[in-house]
Structure formats: structure tokens, C-alpha cells
Amino acid sequence: MNPFDLQRDAFGRWALEMPDGTRYCPVTALRAYPVSAPDAGVALMDADGHEIVWIDELAQLDAPLRAKLLQALTEREFLPEILQLTEVSSFATPSTWSVVTDRGVTQFLLKGEEDIRRLTGTVLLINDANGVQFMIRDLAGMDKHSRKLLDRFL
């Protein structure tokens, strides 16, 4: 038996129903560690930002409920992963970066080198001029051309 049920209401918002019949709507799913541990530590929050349910591991949920929760998380999160850096307009900032992400090809403006943060030895988080965050999950695994361009900014 699942510890709760997650459904959409008539307006398309996520609704949480507890085993005792208590219903919360709308609810928001949030990852505690979206980069370092995306499948661990997920909270379901009410409209006021109060935690209703804490899930230690997504794997503890059955497949249909886990799929709904992952859908709720995906709808809220937008963190494209940079797979390849194809071109930079200048090695001085601000510069326009042309990249291939897991969501397609795009360009963004990097205002300064301080907008590139190293989270771990191989994970980078890059903020563009519009506040969109891009992630490089494995710097060492990128192609030689991409690493060469990135080295100019690190």
C-alpha cells in the first residue's frame, strides 16, 4: 500500500490524498538535492510552503505513483544539461555560448565567470543572463573541443 495518492484535480493541479482521506490541493514536489541525489529526499509541499510528506527514496514507491511524482517534479524543474559546447562569441565576458543540451540546441549569454559554479570535481552549474541554470554533469566526459572552450572560463 502506498503512503499517499497523487492525482490531478479538475484544474490540472496536483492533489495529494492521505490514507485517512485528508486532501491537499495544490501541492508542489521538490527535490532536496536535485543535482547530487535526484532520487533521494523529495518533499510534497502545500500552497503555503509547508511540508506535508517526505519521501526518503523514490524507489520505495510503487511504479505508478513514482511515475506521477516524477512527472510533477519534471514539470516544476528546468535544469537543461549541457552535452556539448559548440561555440563562444568571445573569451571575455559577457559572451554568447552556443550549446547542445539534453533539451536541444540553444544559445545563452554568460555575464561573467562568477556565473559558473563548480559543485563537485566534475559537475558545473552555469547561470545565464536570464537566470536560467544549465548543468554540466560530467566535465571530464565532454568532448575535447567543449573542454578546451570551458577551460578558458574556469
Side-chain angles (χ1 to χ4, degrees):
M1 182 172 138
N2 284 320
F4 59 88
D5 189 28
L6 193 61
Q7 297 291 330
R8 289 202 185 265
D9 72 359
F11 299 103
R13 300 175 302 184
W14 288 104
L16 173 68
E17 188 167 331
M18 302 304 289
D20 67 1
T22 307
R23 186 172 169 85
Y24 300 91
C25 187
V27 294
T28 303
L30 298 170
R31 294 181 203 264
Y33 309 103
V35 175
S36 60
D39 293 330
V42 175
L44 291 173
M45 314 289 280
D46 69 11
D48 295 323
H50 299 110
E51 181 181 306
I52 306 165
V53 173
W54 176 260
I55 300 113
D56 288 324
E57 295 284 336
L58 291 178
Q60 73 190 38
L61 303 174
D62 69 14
L65 180 57
R66 185 172 52 245
K68 288 183 220 174
L69 187 56
L70 287 170
Q71 182 180 358
L73 287 164
T74 302
E75 289 171 2
R76 186 183 182 287
E77 298 171 342
F78 184 73
L79 185 64
E81 182 178 344
I82 296 175
L83 304 173
Q84 182 181 23
L85 181 58
T86 56
E87 182 182 8
V88 294
S89 64
S90 166
F91 291 117
T93 54
S95 64
T96 302
W97 289 29
S98 299
V99 297
V100 177
T101 73
D102 60 341
R103 298 173 186 242
V105 176
T106 191
Q107 290 185 335
F108 63 86
L109 180 66
L110 181 73
K111 291 188 297 185
E113 282 116 12
E114 66 275 3
D115 292 325
I116 303 173
R117 291 185 293 150
R118 188 178 296 267
L119 298 180
T120 67
T122 62
V123 178
L124 301 176
L125 201 58
I126 301 168
N127 292 323
D128 78 355
N130 296 316
V132 175
Q133 293 185 330
F134 294 84
M135 181 175 56
I136 296 176
R137 191 173 300 277
D138 184 13
L139 179 61
M142 294 187 82
D143 65 277
K144 186 177 179 179
H145 177 71
S146 297
R147 285 194 319 268
K148 185 177 178 182
L149 292 174
L150 276 166
D151 283 345
R152 302 287 208 116
F153 294 93
L154 299 177

